Amino acid sequence: MFLINCPYCGERDQQEFKAGGEAHIVRPKQPTELSDDEWAEYLFMRKNIKGVQFERWNHVHGCRKWFNMVRDTSNDEIKAIYKMGEKPPSQ
Amino acid sequence: MRNKYSVFSLIKNALTYHENWQRAWKDPAPKKDYDAVIVGGGGHGLATAYYLAKKHNMNNIAVVEKGWIGGGNTGRNTTIIRSNYLWDASAGLYDHALKIWEGLSQELNYNVMFSQRGVMNLAHNLQDVRDLKRRTHANRLNGIDAVYLSTEEVKKFCPIINTSPDIRYPVLGGTLQRRAGTARHDAVAWGYARGADAMGVDIIQNCEVKGIKRNGDSVEGIETTKGFIKTKKVGVVAAGHSSVIANMAGLRLPLESKPLQALVSEPVKPIIDTVVMSNAVHAYVSQSDKGELVIGAGTDDYVSYTQKGSHQIVEGTLNAILELYPIFSRMRMLRQWGGIVDICPDASPILSKTSIKGLYFNCGWGTGGFKATPGSGDLFAHTIANDEPHKLNAAFNLNRFVSGNLVDEHGAAAVAH
């Protein structure tokens, strides 16, 4: 449990948010060209990092907007928050 | 030579104030070279080593554990054992484990306190009723004992449940597996460790894996905090940290690691003599032999390795518990903790070879791995020894995420995720 600084609403309790998993997984541009291995990689395989991870979150009980977060999963410390479409900070 | 535990050894040691018990396992330094190394000294890892030595005559093997054995999820789960899963593949896997549980204390000469007190799953809405009836039929076709109970039968089996029709989510029925129950989780790790150690397995604690050395597409050994260990076969049984080890080998797994919480109450006199689970309202409870209520809460929805978990998850579970068991309203909770569970997209485990020769993974047990400990160890040992899966774990390969042959057990997994 921690506080999240929503880029649209400000600091709120984590209970208001929904985690959306790993960020920056690019949807395949040519889905019909993809092999089964590539589909598996896109759909299921995750980095699941212990340490600094880039994630998507949704302020589901607030503004309902999606945004990105850089968080250390070993201690839940939030390193950075940035809007969708913005360039991720270099870590 | 390993001394056998018996009533006579108990009397003999009582006479010397229990000061001369033999060590249950040694504390060896790692050798330079092993035929196989198991990464992770929890129940599954120790069971794997035990069956490798016992059934496959692989005695020059080691288990490396970064902390102490049984100190991870083995010592953190709510000890529930059952096999009432929906699909044929899962029924085969979990019932294989349940059959081993039934003779495990005798086999290990170690009392794992396996108690077949029954596990009851409750239905709270029409869809629950349909799903549980379907699962009961599927179980019976697979030779697993399961019965469907009416609301009255639920009340009769566990009288403290509030079956009043005016509660928020009334109890409409339930299923019961009588062969299911609980066991003492620490004893499972200790019993397997003692058994494996007696057959020559080195159990190396406080030894963290730092890297996996590869030669092209095959494993050459592991880098640990106690130095390099050469081996051609590495079986990874690292639960929530499976992805961390996989990343060392340049692999990605279909896993997300999340905190799962549990809590126990102060000890009280016997009040609930079975295990009651409710997926819909997310509450499950049993009573330990010490008298504590053992309560399982849910997972958080974000990836975390903190072994903590959020407060509102516990609150939600306790709300449901109090609605179902008003008698517990003044119980005080003593301890709460979290464990990191590795969740697969289909809520089924992975016991599989990988694209790297000699590297095997046993992971993805998510929120319900304890029940499978003996079966998982047995089948994973078979997979490592023969470099081929046993027919019971063939469906639980990594390739199912490519082929699409998923084993969707979200309905039978106790914790919604």
Side-chain angles (χ1 to χ4, degrees):
Chain A
M1 193 178 232
F2 39 85
L3 293 172
I4 295 174
N5 195 4
C6 172
Y8 305 97
C9 311
E11 202 164 68
R12 298 292 177 88
D13 193 301
Q14 171 242 318
Q15 279 192 66
E16 295 185 13
F17 297 83
K18 174 108 183 96
E22 192 177 317
H24 307 298
I25 299 175
V26 182
R27 189 176 166 79
K29 288 207 169 61
Q30 298 279 350
T32 49
E33 309 285 307
L34 244 50
S35 69
D36 288 352
D37 281 309
E38 288 165 325
W39 269 120
E41 193 68 23
Y42 167 69
L43 285 174
F44 298 121
M45 301 303 165
R46 296 291 177 262
K47 290 180 190 154
N48 197 24
I49 291 167
K50 182 180 187 178
V52 176
Q53 168 159 298
F54 291 71
E55 310 177 319
R56 297 174 307 170
W57 284 73
N58 186 358
H59 194 183
V60 68
H61 299 298
C63 63
R64 300 180 66 189
K65 287 197 174 81
W66 286 90
F67 57 92
N68 292 308
M69 184 190 290
V70 188
R71 192 171 57 92
D72 188 337
T73 60
S74 66
N75 58 14
D76 288 343
E77 189 187 327
I78 298 169
K79 304 279 188 191
I81 285 176
Y82 54 102
K83 291 179 182 171
M84 283 290 160
E86 285 180 1
K87 209 168 167 272
S90 53
Q91 286 279 331
Chain B
M1 184 61 202
R2 178 78 62 222
N3 294 340
K4 197 172 178 331
Y5 292 151
S6 67
V7 65
F8 303 108
S9 72
L10 191 63
I11 294 167
K12 189 176 147 217
N13 282 283
L15 294 173
T16 53
Y17 304 99
H18 296 293
E19 286 171 357
N20 297 313
W21 284 103
Q22 187 184 30
R23 272 190 82 110
W25 55 85
K26 298 181 289 290
D27 186 22
K31 286 192 252 174
K32 285 199 170 61
D33 195 345
Y34 287 101
D35 293 338
V37 174
I38 305 301
V39 179
H44 289 246
L46 293 164
T48 303
Y50 174 84
Y51 292 112
L52 274 173
K54 185 176 178 194
K55 291 175 117 175
H56 306 282
N57 296 320
M58 290 178 70
N59 303 90
N60 182 34
I61 61 174
V63 177
V64 294
E65 163 58 46
K66 75 172 172 180
W68 64 95
I69 60 166
N73 291 354
T74 302
R76 290 166 186 270
N77 63 75
T78 50
T79 79
I80 294 164
I81 296 162
R82 61 189 172 90
S83 64
N84 56 351
Y85 281 72
L86 176 66
W87 299 106
D88 294 353
S90 316
L93 180 69
Y94 291 102
D95 211 51
H96 178 62
L98 185 48
K99 283 176 187 144
I100 303 176
W101 277 114
E102 287 173 332
L104 192 61
S105 291
Q106 286 74 20
E107 185 187 336
L108 294 178
N109 179 227
Y110 203 103
N111 187 5
V112 298
M113 296 166 76
F114 180 51
S115 158
Q116 291 177 296
R117 60 184 68 183
V119 169
M120 191 159 67
N121 287 83
L122 301 180
H124 297 275
N125 53 51
L126 190 57
Q127 191 60 45
D128 274 0
V129 171
R130 287 174 179 150
D131 287 346
L132 286 181
K133 280 186 174 165
R134 178 191 178 200
R135 187 135 65 86
T136 306
H137 293 315
N139 289 161
R140 293 168 74 103
L141 286 171
N142 278 315
I144 293 167
D145 65 311
V147 284
Y148 189 82
L149 305 179
S150 65
T151 308
E152 294 71 34
E153 288 165 326
V154 166
K155 182 79 179 169
K156 199 172 163 210
F157 190 68
C158 185
I160 61 169
I161 293 182
N162 181 5
T163 52
S164 155
D166 60 4
I167 65 173
R168 178 69 182 83
Y169 295 104
V171 176
L172 301 184
T175 65
L176 175 63
Q177 186 183 15
R178 289 184 190 275
R179 284 163 65 231
T182 61
R184 174 152 187 231
H185 47 196
D186 301 312
V188 178
W190 298 337
Y192 273 122
R194 179 170 170 266
D197 180 272
M199 290 183 286
V201 175
D202 281 354
I203 296 164
I204 304 158
Q205 301 181 75
N206 299 310
C207 180
E208 185 175 352
V209 172
K210 291 291 187 187
I212 292 179
K213 193 172 176 209
R214 287 166 57 176
N215 179 9
D217 279 340
S218 1
V219 167
E220 279 201 325
I222 53 171
E223 293 288 352
T224 75
T225 47
K226 294 192 174 181
F228 179 72
I229 300 173
K230 195 176 155 196
T231 181
K232 285 199 164 62
K233 289 187 174 191
V234 176
V236 182
V237 200
H241 283 69
S242 298
S243 296
V244 176
I245 308 278
N247 291 341
M248 291 175 190
L251 286 179
R252 287 214 291 170
L253 296 173
L255 298 176
E256 286 194 308
S257 297
K258 297 176 178 180
L260 175 66
Q261 294 177 82
L263 57 161
V264 294
S265 72
E266 58 191 335
V268 290
K269 288 187 177 176
I271 181 70
I272 178 165
D273 62 355
T274 184
V275 182
V276 185
M277 320 184 69
S278 170
N279 295 18
V281 298
H282 208 293
Y284 64 94
V285 64
S286 61
Q287 191 171 17
S288 73
D289 291 357
K290 269 192 286 184
E292 306 150 318
L293 295 182
V294 182
I295 294 169
T299 52
D300 279 292
D301 68 343
Y302 53 89
V303 170
S304 180
Y305 289 83
T306 55
Q307 294 188 327
K308 285 191 289 200
S310 302
H311 187 258
Q312 79 269 13
I313 304 283
V314 170
E315 192 179 11
T317 290
L318 290 179
N319 283 343
I321 295 263
L322 290 188
E323 182 87 340
L324 279 173
Y325 312 91
I327 193 173
F328 294 153
S329 65
R330 281 179 291 163
M331 290 285 281
R332 282 167 296 188
M333 293 298 144
L334 277 194
R335 285 179 290 127
Q336 167 275 347
W337 64 93
I340 302 305
V341 296
D342 43 330
I343 294 175
C344 250
D346 59 355
S348 283
I350 296 165
L351 294 108
S352 180
K353 296 163 70 170
T354 63
S355 53
I356 299 165
K357 190 172 163 43
L359 185 63
Y360 308 86
F361 271 88
N362 180 351
C363 59
W365 290 96
T367 57
F370 175 72
K371 64 176 80 69
T373 305
S376 155
D378 183 30
L379 300 172
F380 196 48
H382 184 280
T383 307
I384 293 173
N386 300 302
D387 197 35
E388 275 303 320
H390 187 279
K391 68 177 186 331
L392 287 176
N393 68 311
F396 298 95
N397 59 54
L398 255 175
N399 198 51
R400 74 179 189 266
F401 298 95
V402 177
S403 67
N405 293 318
L406 303 181
V407 188
D408 184 359
E409 286 291 358
H410 283 279
V415 178
H417 47 63

